[in-house]
Amino acid sequence: VAAAGRPEFGDYQANGVMGAAKSLGRKPRDLAIAVVEALDVDGIAQSVEIAGPGFINIRLSPEFLAQQISADRALIEPAAPATVVIDYSSPNLAKEMHVGHLRSTIIGDAMARVLEALGYRVIRQNHVGDWGTQFGMLVAHLEEIGHDTAALEDLELFYQAAKRRFDSDTAFADRARSRVVALQSGDAAVLARWREFVRISAAHCQAVYDRLGVSLRGDDMMGESQYNDALAGIVATLDQEGLLTESDGAKCVFLPEFAGKDGDILPIIIEKSDGGYLYATTDLAAARHRCGQLHADRVMYFVDVRQSLHFRQVFALARRAGFVAEDCALEHHPFGTMLGKDGRPFRTRDGGVVKLTALLDEAEQRALALVTAKNPELPERERRGIARAVGIGAVKYADLSKNRTSDYVFDWDTMLSFDGNTAPYLQYAVSRITSLFRRGNVDREAIHGAIRLIEPAEIQLGLTLGRFQETLDDVAREASPHLLCGYLMGLASNYMQFYEQCPVLSAPEDVRAARLQLCNRVVATLERGLGLLGIETVERM
């Protein structure tokens, strides 16, 4: 049973008769008639009709719809409890966060919120880069500037300075390499410097998460360093299972399913010839930890599409080696690239990488100009608060509203528009409904009376409200927040049609109460839906 594609087909359509009739050797229409005769939908469906060769069209009764969206019904019903681990954001602590981290961060966070709302136990895992060769370079540079941690206020400049020295100063490069060895062997002094660097870098990330309204916290950070002690055991297990092969001094795994057209198998490199480990080794340790220690039923990785082959190999090897149980789902949910208007990856005017802090600054500034133009009489503090919600919300929604797997063009004018599929449009819809309550001097908490769906616009609005739960179920299954965005846009559009056709405050008292209740359910759903996307709402815009 699925939502009908066109209104004339009813509200829902059951198309399973065709396949069932084929397997039973019966005529589809005859089977459809038998199904409808056996169907008991009293009090649920207004009509059930057979169309074409055997499609069953169902139109729900307005009374049933009204019951489903009544004030005493929860907006979201919890699902069966299960543990979901979500791997997202994953910045490199050597540098400041930039636009390349935006999609993973906000898509992963929206999914975490939706799954939690549905009753799942969600464990966030921010798999940050905090280990490896480059940290020897950074620790060596930090040692030379002493305790002047002010130099770390701009991580990008600090990294660039260390890299220039590494590339041009042989003595410094040697010291940096020695720090890598010391770090990996647990030297107390070097570890202390490294921890200082990680602490300050993590604080930079947290400041960005807080501005973005992302729910990641320090306890969710699970860096590559935390798997370091497990890597030798990963290699040993692969060796015991007979999976390792030495190739040019490196330890590799060759799985036949990754053979190319020429028959050559693409190797999974586990340990380099110099004894160093690779991302695959760390990701195997992470998968084992998430399945074994965190008891995950489902592990979702929100990492860009360029890593698709890497994760297919890691997942296949994790199962082959027994690191992950068969009933633990490993899912890579790739996403496309954020592009500039020139169709190339989004950059600064001079071709540099755009820092997330700079992007959010510009979002708030542009939104403040819009809010000031519309409502110059509002106090500056209120205008700035609205601008923050609108600007940050616009950036997030522009991304979340696109199909996750698609590239999209970053366009300030489009995302900050009050028309079309944008956050400002939805935030404005919320503010319009709350202004209705203010004009009518109505306390939302004190609204009473049952919802009644009489007029066509009321019935359509009730039907859309009733689909909130199934939309969230679809988002959870498909890992696609754009489905929720599309739902919220449809709900806001249906509300506008209802508002134009069905007077609320001027209606007779009994109708007024029912319609106020309906308005209250709409604004509650819009607020909850936007909240699940990590987007704030405001009462005035």
Side-chain angles (χ1 to χ4, degrees), residues 339-366:
L339 306 173
K341 289 185 178 180
D342 59 0
R344 298 178 179 178
F346 191 67
R347 299 274 179 174
T348 61
R349 288 186 179 87
D350 60 5
V353 176
V354 179
K355 293 181 183 179
L356 269 183
T357 51
L359 184 79
L360 300 183
D361 286 343
E362 185 168 357
E364 292 190 31
Q365 290 163 7
R366 286 175 177 264

Side-chain angles (χ1 to χ4, degrees), residues 224 227-236 277-278 281-283 285 288:
E224 293 171 354
Y227 298 109
N228 188 60
D229 293 343
L231 301 186
I234 292 290
V235 176
Y277 302 110
L278 287 97
T281 328
T282 303
D283 282 330
R288 185 174 67 174

Side-chain angles (χ1 to χ4, degrees), residues 91-96 129 134-135 138 155-156 158-159 197 201:
N92 187 335
L93 293 188
K95 304 177 182 180
E96 285 193 46
Q134 62 188 331
F135 284 91
L138 297 168
L155 284 175
E156 206 68 32
F158 183 87
Y159 178 86
F197 183 84
S201 302

